[in-house]
Amino acid sequence: YAKELLNNINGYADAKVIAGKYEDCIETELLNRTNQNVFIYLDPYGIKSLKYSLIRGIAKRKFYSIELLFNFNSFGFIREACNSMSINCDIEEKDVLKGPEDDAIGVNRSSLSDLNEVAGGDYWQVIIGEMKDRKIDGYQAEIMFSNQYCEMMGKQFKFVLNMPIRMKRGQRPKYRMIYATNHPKGCVLMNDNMVKRW
């Protein structure tokens, strides 16, 4: 949709459209951004483009300040993790938003490394193992995974916030918004925003 987007922002002198996938373009786009304030918002269709190595690379760059906000389909991750380990997933489809079929990592053992790349490690396999042993259900697994994922993010950023997004109060989350920064004021402002939306 690059051409359509370019037409839509035609009147904005400082806007630029990059035709390509985020994971293929982000590092090049950030090369000359040192000593600048950088805000990155990611809204992927699923999970496969959220490679943790890219997030780690972004965190290591020297910016005046860096803020990263993204939609994380943690339930989609749990479903894919169950598929990859041949475990029945008890998360009801009607309860969660499902991404397009072409985002599915697939059902095979090689997908374990793809999921490790998204998660930033293999810690999630222990959680799915607990599901297999019926110690926890899919919803508990999602909470545990999200918390551990944010702990991983905490190794890259000083401040990490995690907000579950629900269609209505009292419902299970559809996905999570994850925010990370090294700037205390950015953390406070985003926290206040999240509390308002809660």
Side-chain angles (χ1 to χ4, degrees):
Y1 297 102
K3 270 188 185 173
E4 187 178 336
L5 182 56
L6 191 57
N7 289 335
N8 288 339
I9 64 164
N10 201 13
Y12 298 91
D14 293 337
K16 172 180 159 184
V17 174
I18 301 157
K21 294 179 179 179
Y22 140 79
E23 58 267 35
D24 296 337
C25 301
I26 189 68
E27 290 181 330
T28 304
E29 286 302 313
L30 294 177
L31 280 178
N32 299 316
R33 304 282 186 222
T34 54
N35 300 320
Q36 291 184 13
N37 296 315
V38 174
F39 183 92
I40 299 172
Y41 172 61
L42 302 173
D43 188 12
Y45 283 118
I47 58 170
K48 71 179 181 181
S49 62
L50 289 175
K51 295 178 178 174
Y52 194 80
S53 59
L54 290 174
I55 293 171
R56 188 183 301 116
I58 290 168
K60 286 182 180 176
R61 292 182 180 272
K62 302 293 181 202
F63 304 112
Y64 181 73
S65 70
I66 175 71
E67 295 176 87
L68 178 63
L69 178 67
F70 58 96
N71 295 352
F72 190 56
N73 187 349
S74 48
F75 283 104
F77 184 94
I78 295 298
R79 271 197 311 275
E80 288 292 336
C82 288
N83 285 340
S84 71
M85 294 178 70
S86 302
I87 296 169
N88 184 38
C89 188
D90 61 359
I91 297 173
E92 294 180 45
E93 291 297 323
K94 66 178 180 157
D95 285 352
V96 296
L97 293 176
K98 193 169 182 185
E101 292 302 321
D102 64 351
D103 189 68
I105 287 175
V107 183
N108 59 58
R109 291 292 172 186
S110 66
S111 66
L112 294 177
S113 61
D114 294 331
L115 290 164
N116 287 345
E117 173 60 20
V118 171
D122 62 2
Y123 58 90
W124 61 271
Q125 294 178 32
V126 173
I127 297 168
I128 302 304
E130 289 188 21
M131 279 183 70
K132 183 178 184 177
D133 296 340
R134 299 182 185 269
K135 293 178 181 175
I136 59 172
D137 64 22
Y139 300 102
Q140 292 167 312
E142 185 275 337
I143 292 169
M144 289 172 66
F145 170 68
S146 297
N147 288 339
Q148 288 189 33
Y149 183 85
C150 287
E151 284 178 28
M152 286 291 298
M153 291 285 289
K155 294 177 183 177
Q156 311 303 321
F157 296 92
K158 290 180 184 175
F159 307 103
V160 179
L161 305 174
N162 163 10
M163 179 180 174
I165 303 298
R166 297 175 172 86
M167 300 307 284
K168 292 180 183 173
R169 186 182 297 271
Q171 284 186 342
R172 295 187 189 279
K174 299 293 183 183
Y175 58 91
R176 294 183 182 270
M177 292 294 293
I178 295 180
Y179 172 81
T181 187
N182 293 323
H183 201 290
K185 288 184 180 177
C187 178
V188 171
L189 286 170
M190 186 60 71
N191 182 72
D192 290 351
N193 249 321
M194 287 182 170
V195 168
K196 286 178 191 174
R197 300 301 174 267
W198 198 290

